Amino acid sequence: MSSFFAFTFAFILGYVLVQLTIFFAKKYGFVDNPKKRTHPAILHTRIIPRAGGLAIFLSFLIASFTFVPFSKKLLGIFLGAIVVTIVGLIDDKYDLRAWQKFLAQIVAAVLVVLSGIGITFIANPFSIFGTGIDPIIRLDVIRVAFQFFGTHSILILADLFAIFWIVWVINMVNFSSGVDGQLGGISLITLFVIFAASLRFGADPGQSIVTKLSVIGAGATLAFLINNVNPARIFPGDSGSYFLGYLIAVLAILSGAKVGTALLVMAVPLVDGVFTVLRRIALGQSPFLGDKKHLHHRLLEMGLTQTQVSLFYWLLCAILGAIALALPAEGKVFAALFVAIIVLGVLVWLNINLQNVVRK
């Protein structure tokens, strides 16, 4: 029942804050003007407020302080969220350089790790092939102790993997903000799956924070999504994509290394993001250079509307989320790999065939 109240509170608060954000974004120039902004992936023709991440973040922050007991880990999550949201907001207005945004993401990830959140183990997918194979791959075997207001330890592999995971998910989620409602829907479904997964552990106090934070994040995201479906009244901006990607990545770690769950749920946008980066590097371009060759752009070229593309992503994420909840940890990695191969094949086919159509 407390989760329901937390969700409802975050939703109502988020909806009010979205309306206020729309007003202030227009007033202070946090807008996406297609006549002034020459990004090649722009699809809209009218001025639309950005900075939607501010409303999501503030509703998440206030609801979390209301429903979640304060702790060192919660402080780390808040500090990292403040960093990515503020930097995202600055970028929403001034368009920062890629390295500046990347550095901020690393700082946010480090703040999370310093609060004691890390990936100390991952499930070994090969354990399904025999009982003699260790089902767990430990990442906390290399430990460095130091004295600073007490004794602390740095888990080299665990912390590095956690930082990489957080930064990677932030950028992959950012790549999935191509059409109205796409990013918000993907994030909402992923947060609900993490919430459902956390309920399996019942009264485990370690999972209680995940249950509350994921359902609060879902309530705030739904409030934004209602205003972001086509035709969008507000865009998430980098503040929104960075915060939601950050939140999903951190909760996947906090929920007991549910990295496999998040990987499977977001397999389509994650693979599309990796393929986009590799494609740009292969062409000698910056991996952060915008273009109109993402999967959602290819689907639009095939004749789908923005609403249909968003529903396509939502449906796939929902199906993969149900599979993630049903499969054991070891099976999720293979399922994610299987989906990745299919999506990769589709992306290659679309890029080759649509390019041939354009040439003709």
Side-chain angles (χ1 to χ4, degrees):
M1 186 60 71
S2 60
S3 294
F4 172 77
F5 286 126
F7 173 84
T8 304
F9 180 83
F11 172 76
I12 295 174
L13 179 61
Y15 191 84
V16 173
L17 288 173
V18 167
Q19 312 314 311
L20 292 174
T21 301
I22 291 174
F23 173 78
F24 284 107
K26 290 179 179 178
K27 183 176 181 179
Y28 294 105
F30 289 83
V31 296
D32 201 326
N33 187 341
K35 294 182 179 179
K36 294 182 179 180
R37 190 164 175 256
T38 57
H39 194 286
I42 287 179
L43 299 173
H44 59 283
T45 57
R46 57 193 175 88
I47 298 175
I48 300 178
R50 301 173 79 181
L54 179 62
I56 304 173
F57 166 71
L58 288 178
S59 56
F60 173 82
L61 183 70
I62 296 171
S64 296
F65 271 123
T66 305
F67 291 95
V68 182
F70 189 76
S71 65
K72 178 184 176 182
K73 290 182 178 180
L74 193 63
L75 176 61
I77 294 173
F78 286 162
L79 290 176
I82 290 172
V83 171
V84 294
T85 304
I86 289 178
V87 171
L89 279 172
I90 296 173
D91 184 65
D92 287 339
K93 185 172 177 62
Y94 298 108
D95 289 327
L96 296 174
R97 295 182 180 275
W99 70 266
Q100 294 172 317
K101 295 183 285 186
F102 187 69
L103 179 61
Q105 295 164 15
I106 295 176
V107 170
V110 169
L111 288 171
V112 171
V113 168
L114 291 177
S115 72
I117 299 174
I119 304 175
T120 57
F121 69 92
I122 56 176
N124 187 349
F126 298 102
S127 63
I128 65 175
F129 295 118
T131 56
I133 302 176
D134 193 337
I136 296 297
I137 299 177
R138 307 290 317 181
L139 298 176
D140 57 354
V141 291
I142 304 178
R143 183 185 300 263
V144 177
F146 66 97
Q147 295 288 332
F148 184 74
F149 292 104
T151 302
H152 303 272
S153 295
I154 297 177
L155 309 178
I156 303 298
L157 293 178
D159 293 344
L160 286 177
F161 188 73
I163 292 171
F164 167 79
W165 165 254
I166 293 170
V167 173
W168 181 50
V169 173
I170 289 174
N171 284 281
M172 295 304 102
V173 170
N174 182 50
F175 282 166
S176 68
S177 59
V179 301
D180 295 347
Q182 180 185 352
L183 181 145
I186 292 172
S187 301
L188 178 64
I189 292 168
T190 305
L191 289 169
F192 269 131
V193 171
I194 294 175
F195 166 72
S198 70
L199 294 177
R200 293 179 174 179
F201 298 91
D204 183 352
Q207 291 299 302
S208 176
I209 184 175
V210 180
T211 302
K212 291 286 180 63
L213 292 181
S214 57
V215 78
I216 288 171
T221 303
L222 179 59
F224 166 78
L225 181 60
I226 291 175
N227 295 274
N228 181 239
V229 292
N230 188 258
R233 298 181 60 236
I234 186 172
F235 286 156
D238 276 356
S239 57
S241 61
Y242 286 1
F243 172 71
L244 288 174
Y246 166 86
L247 181 61
I248 289 170
V250 172
L251 291 181
I253 298 174
L254 199 59
S255 60
K258 292 294 185 295
V259 173
T261 298
L263 274 174
L264 186 53
V265 179
M266 298 192 299
V268 177
L270 291 180
V271 173
D272 181 35
V274 172
F275 177 78
T276 297
V277 169
L278 295 177
R279 172 175 52 77
R280 291 171 181 170
I281 292 175
L283 294 174
Q285 302 172 342
S286 166
F288 302 103
L289 180 67
D291 57 37
K292 297 183 70 172
K293 297 181 180 179
H294 283 284
L295 176 58
H296 48 261
H297 293 126
R298 295 306 194 185
L299 294 174
L300 289 172
E301 290 178 36
M302 292 175 62
L304 273 66
T305 65
Q306 289 198 48
T307 300
Q308 290 170 334
V309 172
S310 290
L311 290 174
F312 169 80
Y313 273 89
W314 298 358
L315 180 61
L316 283 180
C317 287
I319 293 173
L320 294 175
I323 294 174
L325 291 173
L327 286 177
E330 301 83 359
K332 293 174 187 176
V333 178
F334 284 106
L337 182 61
F338 177 72
V339 173
I341 293 172
I342 293 177
V343 174
L344 187 61
V346 170
L347 284 167
V348 172
W349 181 84
L350 285 173
N351 276 271
I352 293 175
N353 282 271
L354 289 176
Q355 285 178 2
N356 290 335
V357 170
V358 171
R359 289 171 183 170
K360 292 178 180 179

